[in-house]
Amino acid sequence: MLKSIGQGLGNETSRLILRRLGEALITLLLASALSFAIMQLAPGNYLDNLKADPQISLERLQELERQFGLDKSPVEQYFRWLWQIIRYGNFGTSFVYQRSVASLLWERVPATLLLSLSSILLTWGLAIPLGIWAAVTQDRWSDRLLRVISYIGQGFPSFITALLLLFLAQSTPLFPVGGMTSLFYDELPWWGKVLDIGWHLILPTVALTLTSFAGLQRLMRGNLLDVLRQNYIQTARAKGLPESRVIYVHALRNAVNPLITLLGFEFASLLSGAFIAEFFFNWPGLGRLILQAVTAQDIYVVMASLMMGAVMLIVGNLLADLLLRWADPRIQH
């Protein structure tokens, strides 16, 4: 019987994944068309910035226009770009860097992933235990202190936090002002390189963590308090179960479900959520590259970054659904 149930769940999971993959293709196609249309609504194009340079001749501008396909209609540009992706896996060439967009993005992805993952691990590693502690010690001094900290954290704009940490770095020799590595990075042994990157990673990670920690901690506290008031929790206590088992086995399992859904969105923001920290701390990630691409109207870099974000959102939602199914088998998709 257990074997047949397991096979049934496995088949349902496979069908869920296949259905989501089909939906993902349609979503990506619609998202790419909408993104390209919005990009075309901006006045002018990349070549308008070059026309102001008297050293660039009209012939050179016409040559670049043909090279980048900007002499074609927006509809033709979009379908040429889409056909290149389908047939060759080619996301186009960057106007600014004159390089493949894929290679340009993949150079920046590791730095952004490192910063985003470290921030998510620190945020969730602090917010979940502290949220549980605040719920268990409701209205005591520890709960009130955490509530004050969360209110302050939510009221502080992320760029203000980054500026304060940057001021701290400039005022003390404890932390580097910016960048990902030191000037003498290439001379260090492998373990020294790891420590050097970790040293530069501290302040950007703290800047990202402080802006998201407060809300997550309050959400964990509120969910757990709601579950602890349910009748089945009161019944478990009446049966004489240990309080630790009531909280960490029965209550926590149901209280964590909304957070699993939120984790899917956190996964989606891995490649885009570190923008402010990257900008202020000169971190060589995707955020600064995308900002430069938007400013210069480097269409194919912007389009590729938007598609990466859409893929991460789809994958994040799928992972959240699978985790919810694992955490609570009662959930039917």
mmCIF file of all heavy atoms in Angstrom, residues 24 63 111 216 296:
data_model
loop_
_atom_site.group_PDB
_atom_site.id
_atom_site.type_symbol
_atom_site.label_atom_id
_atom_site.label_comp_id
_atom_site.label_asym_id
_atom_site.label_seq_id
_atom_site.Cartn_x
_atom_site.Cartn_y
_atom_site.Cartn_z
ATOM 1 N N ALA A 24 5.765 27.345 -18.338
ATOM 2 C CA ALA A 24 6.939 28.213 -18.299
ATOM 3 C C ALA A 24 7.316 28.698 -19.695
ATOM 4 O O ALA A 24 7.695 29.865 -19.873
ATOM 5 C CB ALA A 24 8.116 27.473 -17.663
ATOM 6 N N GLU A 63 26.796 51.808 -40.549
ATOM 7 C CA GLU A 63 27.352 50.455 -40.459
ATOM 8 C C GLU A 63 26.958 49.785 -39.140
ATOM 9 O O GLU A 63 26.574 48.602 -39.112
ATOM 10 C CB GLU A 63 28.877 50.516 -40.577
ATOM 11 C CG GLU A 63 29.564 49.168 -40.489
ATOM 12 C CD GLU A 63 31.082 49.295 -40.493
ATOM 13 O OE1 GLU A 63 31.596 50.402 -40.790
ATOM 14 O OE2 GLU A 63 31.760 48.292 -40.177
ATOM 15 N N ALA A 111 29.531 36.520 -8.923
ATOM 16 C CA ALA A 111 29.630 37.542 -7.869
ATOM 17 C C ALA A 111 28.266 37.858 -7.275
ATOM 18 O O ALA A 111 28.118 37.985 -6.054
ATOM 19 C CB ALA A 111 30.274 38.810 -8.434
ATOM 20 N N LEU A 216 10.915 39.271 7.668
ATOM 21 C CA LEU A 216 10.855 37.811 7.771
ATOM 22 C C LEU A 216 10.703 37.360 9.222
ATOM 23 O O LEU A 216 9.950 36.418 9.519
ATOM 24 C CB LEU A 216 12.117 37.205 7.149
ATOM 25 C CG LEU A 216 12.168 35.677 7.071
ATOM 26 C CD1 LEU A 216 11.043 35.147 6.200
ATOM 27 C CD2 LEU A 216 13.523 35.218 6.526
ATOM 28 N N ALA A 296 22.241 52.935 -21.291
ATOM 29 C CA ALA A 296 22.784 53.014 -22.653
ATOM 30 C C ALA A 296 21.848 52.414 -23.692
ATOM 31 O O ALA A 296 22.192 52.412 -24.875
ATOM 32 C CB ALA A 296 24.139 52.305 -22.707
#
